[in-house]
Amino acid sequence: MLQQMRKGAASWVAKGLMVLLVLSFGAWGIGDYITNFGTNAPVAKVGDAEIGQPEYADAWRRELTGLQRRFGGNFTAEQARQLGLDENVLNRLIEDRLYQQAAKDLGLTITEVDVRHAIMNAPAFKGPTGQFDRFAFENYLRQEGYSEAMLVSVLTQELARTRLLGSLFGSMATAPTQMADTILGYRLERRLAEFVVVDAAKLPAPPAPTDEKIEEYYKANPAAFTAPERRSVAWFQITPADRAAKIEVAEDELRDEYEANKQAYVTQEKRDVEQVVFPTEAEAKAAYEAVQKGEDFLAMAARTQKLKPEDVKLGSVTKDALPAAIANAVFGLDVNKVGEPVTSPFGWHVVRVTAVQPGSTKSFEEAKAELRQQIALTKANDEMGKLRAQIDDQIAGGATIEEIVKAQGAELRTAADIDAQGRDKQGKPVEGLPAQPDFLAQAFDLDTESEPHIVDQPDGGLIVLKVTGVTPAALRPLDDVKSDVVARLQQRDRADAAAEQARQIAERVRNGGDLAKEAAAIGAAVQLSAPLTRSGQPAERALSPVVVSALFNAKQPGEVVTGPAASAPGITPNSAVVARLSRIEPADPAAIASQRDQTVQQLASSMAQDLVQQYRQALQQEIGVKVDPAARARAAGF
């Protein structure tokens, strides 16, 4: 049979059919694919360097994947583009090339030793013992989508950038103390005011609104009277911890893990140490002999080196935290004994041990339960990917959520008529909903025709979600919300009346009227505010941010301002305030001094960022950058 097919393929009839197929593909437009096949124009050129399509595509994919982990699997590439992610990715790659070229021109190099040191000391790659952990390293590579070579390349670029910018701007961006003092003087200035609260509750009740006003307000504010969209959902959840509970771990596997990580179960001995350091051996010996003859150790430190008790304390230390010579001396002493002088690069040390916390080693039997949990959880995390693929296949095969939950041995949960915040029709939170924000976001992104959807969780688990019902948002009938409309109108009228009365009082006081008499006329009293700052702290509870801002905009004491009262306990809603600036207090010099260093650092950081931005722009003009939008679109699949 195969031989006959081969003969047929070689016949003139088959060749004729092949010609027809080629012509047909040409007519249908496959020529576009042929002419574009192999197109590999760089996304951008930075001087003589290129940013190729594969490099840009990989960077784009990693950034998009990161956002999808944060916002959920339904976060699309188009949404990422709307946020400007494509531009950010390209700008970062261009910036890296610019700095690489600048570092090369300046002769800055990054060695393998530099990269290795960065990897070995990165907090993300350290295990429970505080040392480099290969498992943590490989887990990071998997999560971020890097190969080792890619990570080395990224770290090399980052180290070059850090060294370049540090060498150029590390000590240049300093902020003048006078600038910091000026800013702090403005920020820490305080103001005091006399004020009167126009209590909305003491004003005449506003007349009942007419039907015409009620309908007008209802139509002008539909959002206030619209019932939110509601969803009914079904879901089940599987976590690595759930899977781990069902995994058996062999005894020999537990022992192997214990032996491989035995150091993690060792608690080193710690000692509380005091020390006094002397520049010469003779001084140290004299101090040691004085203590041996009965002088108190702390008294000796005060007499010889003018040290306070807190100055001599090293705290609780392990042996490997001290230089070898000092460590041997410290860990050879009994409690409350003083050791003979020992030397180090820092001088001659006289030390005393004040307390000992013995070390310990957790035995295999003691660590067994913890080991079993760790190994089972690691295996469960490894299995979650396979489980996800299995559920994906079930969904693709048309399985219902009920069929999937039965196959997985999980528990199906349901919730009816929830809003986008997870509340019921009475506005109360629905109990039992998954705490993951993505759950509700996905529930309100899908519809009843959507197949069951997997919501990935940060801990490696997953939720399978199905929307079973949708009640669209709808404007509630006026008859149903009429009382609410009337209440809102009356609140607005009360606020307007209070604001108008405050305006009239302020005008009379500006024209020579007496604030106290005006207050008495409305059954109120003049109050003196607490000292106010521009940030509102400490705040006078009756004064809203609008009033505080107006007081700081006033040019001099005596000016009168008005505004709404704050929403605070004891203050009637919709009330207003009349305030008169009574005093301006310049910033306290002590407060300026206490915040000066921090402000100088903040200003220096801001100045450094400005310098780096200007440097980048100068490099871009000098080196030259050309971007190919079509190549970028092809690389990202737009």
Side-chain angles (χ1 to χ4, degrees):
M1 182 66 178
L2 290 172
Q3 186 66 23
Q4 291 175 347
M5 291 176 68
R6 292 192 190 100
K7 288 180 179 179
S11 70
W12 68 269
V13 175
K15 292 176 181 177
L17 287 172
M18 185 62 70
V19 171
L20 288 174
L21 285 171
V22 170
L23 291 173
S24 298
F25 284 148
W28 293 339
I30 197 170
D32 291 339
Y33 291 92
I34 295 172
T35 55
N36 284 328
F37 181 79
T39 298
N40 194 30
V43 172
K45 289 186 177 181
V46 182
D48 296 331
E50 293 183 348
I51 298 172
Q53 292 187 35
E55 180 183 2
Y56 176 78
D58 187 64
W60 161 258
R61 176 187 56 77
R62 284 199 308 275
E63 291 292 333
L64 179 61
T65 300
L67 286 177
Q68 287 174 335
R69 282 201 298 266
R70 290 173 56 193
F71 300 123
N74 278 6
F75 185 82
T76 66
E78 181 57 34
Q79 289 172 315
R81 286 185 66 194
Q82 292 173 3
L83 292 174
L85 183 66
D86 54 333
E87 290 286 347
N88 290 341
V89 169
L90 180 57
N91 287 337
R92 188 164 60 252
L93 293 174
I94 289 172
E95 190 172 7
D96 287 340
R97 290 295 193 279
L98 290 171
Y99 292 145
Q100 287 173 29
Q101 184 62 53
K104 181 180 178 182
D105 292 344
L106 292 172
L108 295 176
T109 58
I110 302 299
T111 66
E112 291 183 4
V113 174
D114 294 328
V115 177
R116 176 177 173 78
H117 183 269
I119 291 174
M120 298 299 290
N121 289 279
F125 305 151
K126 291 185 177 180
T129 64
Q131 303 298 316
F132 175 79
D133 186 283
R134 185 73 189 180
F135 176 78
F137 177 68
E138 292 176 349
N139 189 48
Y140 177 86
L141 294 180
R142 282 195 302 272
Q143 288 182 347
E144 298 300 323
Y146 283 118
S147 65
E148 286 194 32
M150 289 166 62
L151 181 63
V152 167
S153 175
V154 169
L155 282 176
T156 301
Q157 294 172 15
E158 187 60 34
L159 289 171
R161 174 211 293 257
T162 301
R163 190 167 296 178
L164 170 69
L165 298 179
S167 65
L168 291 175
F169 304 121
S171 60
M172 289 177 61
T174 57
T177 301
Q178 185 176 1
M179 178 189 294
D181 287 355
T182 300
I183 291 173
L184 287 170
Y186 175 83
R187 187 186 300 166
L188 299 177
E189 176 190 295
R190 304 199 306 176
R191 298 194 171 195
L192 286 86
E194 302 170 295
F195 68 92
V196 175
V197 177
V198 179
D199 191 343
K202 295 181 179 179
L203 297 175
T210 63
D211 289 342
E212 183 180 357
K213 281 191 174 182
I214 292 172
E215 187 170 359
E216 178 185 350
Y217 187 86
Y218 171 76
K219 290 180 178 180
N221 299 275
F225 308 108
T226 296
E229 178 182 323
R230 294 189 174 277
R231 299 285 179 108
S232 296
V233 294
W235 77 93
F236 69 89
Q237 184 172 354
I238 300 177
T239 67
D242 296 334
R243 305 287 292 183
K246 301 176 183 178
I247 293 176
E248 295 293 331
V249 183
E251 183 83 4
D252 58 349
E253 196 172 357
L254 293 172
R255 289 193 178 276
D256 289 345
E257 182 70 14
Y258 177 78
E259 292 299 328
N261 297 280
K262 199 168 185 177
Q263 193 60 36
Y265 299 100
V266 175
T267 301
Q268 295 187 48
E269 177 183 324
K270 288 186 177 182
R271 294 191 166 208
D272 292 352
V273 181
E274 297 173 340
Q275 74 164 357
V276 182
V277 183
F278 297 90
T280 66
E281 182 180 10
E283 291 176 283
K285 284 186 174 180
Y288 169 73
E289 291 171 359
V291 173
Q292 294 303 308
K293 291 178 181 178
E295 185 176 12
D296 180 73
F297 187 83
L298 296 179
M300 177 273 291
R303 175 179 60 81
T304 59
Q305 299 295 311
K306 304 295 188 290
L307 297 175
K308 299 177 182 177
E310 59 268 24
D311 297 331
V312 305
K313 296 182 185 297
L314 283 182
S316 185
V317 297
T318 57
K319 189 172 184 178
D320 58 10
L322 298 172
I326 301 175
N328 292 333
V330 167
F331 280 79
L333 285 173
D334 294 331
V335 177
N336 292 325
K337 295 295 183 181
V338 178
E340 294 187 11
V342 291
T343 184
S344 81
F346 303 102
W348 286 85
H349 303 249
V350 177
V351 298
R352 177 171 72 167
V353 174
T354 58
V356 175
Q357 303 168 39
S360 63
T361 299
K362 186 180 289 188
S363 69
F364 170 74
E365 291 299 327
E366 292 171 325
K368 198 171 181 179
E370 180 184 344
L371 286 165
R372 178 175 285 107
Q373 183 178 7
Q374 290 176 351
I375 295 173
L377 192 58
T378 299
K379 290 184 175 182
N381 276 306
D382 292 341
E383 288 182 4
M384 288 303 298
K386 298 176 183 178
L387 176 64
R388 194 187 194 288
Q390 182 185 89
I391 294 175
D392 259 335
D393 289 342
Q394 290 177 299
I395 292 172
T400 65
I401 192 170
E402 290 80 8
E403 292 169 337
I404 299 171
V405 73
K406 184 177 180 181
Q408 297 299 331
E411 178 188 1
L412 188 66
R413 306 286 301 278
T414 61
D417 295 324
I418 59 173
D419 67 12
Q421 284 71 48
R423 298 173 301 204
D424 60 21
K425 290 183 176 180
Q426 286 70 47
K428 297 179 180 179
V430 175
E431 295 183 3
L433 291 177
Q436 302 300 328
D438 286 350
F439 177 80
L440 287 171
Q442 298 294 338
F444 277 78
D445 190 45
L446 303 170
D447 57 42
T448 54
E449 300 302 316
S450 299
E451 60 192 12
H453 180 76
I454 297 175
V455 181
D456 293 306
Q457 298 179 268
D459 66 354
L462 56 83
I463 299 170
V464 178
L465 165 69
K466 172 68 177 155
V467 175
T468 57
V470 177
T471 303
L475 182 64
R476 298 161 66 190
L478 177 56
D479 288 343
D480 291 350
V481 296
K482 189 172 183 178
S483 60
D484 189 14
V485 176
V486 170
R488 288 171 179 262
L489 279 169
Q490 290 181 328
Q491 288 174 4
R492 186 187 68 179
D493 290 346
R494 283 184 181 275
D496 290 345
E500 176 59 22
Q501 188 171 68
R503 187 195 65 77
Q504 292 176 6
I505 291 173
E507 191 64 28
R508 289 194 290 269
V509 172
R510 290 188 190 108
N511 292 328
D514 184 276
L515 184 61
K517 289 183 179 179
E518 294 287 346
I522 61 170
V526 175
Q527 304 178 57
L528 181 64
S529 75
L532 306 169
T533 63
R534 294 180 192 275
S535 64
Q537 298 296 331
E540 171 58 55
R541 65 184 184 86
L543 305 185
S544 67
V546 172
V547 176
V548 173
S549 178
L551 287 169
F552 275 93
N553 287 332
K555 303 300 181 184
Q556 58 188 5
E559 291 191 33
V560 181
V561 301
T562 64
S567 297
I571 304 297
T572 304
N574 307 308
S575 297
V577 165
V578 180
R580 180 169 60 191
L581 181 62
S582 56
R583 190 163 77 245
I584 298 176
E585 294 183 350
D588 181 4
I592 291 177
S594 68
Q595 299 184 35
R596 181 180 293 128
D597 290 346
Q598 181 182 2
T599 304
V600 166
Q601 291 176 5
Q602 292 171 346
L603 289 171
S605 176
S606 179
M607 291 168 65
Q609 291 175 14
D610 291 342
L611 285 171
V612 169
Q613 181 63 22
Q614 293 172 28
Y615 178 59
R616 182 190 183 281
Q617 292 172 355
L619 286 177
Q620 188 162 337
Q621 292 177 358
E622 178 184 342
I623 296 173
V625 175
K626 293 182 180 179
V627 176
D628 185 340
R632 184 178 70 177
R634 280 195 298 272
F638 298 153

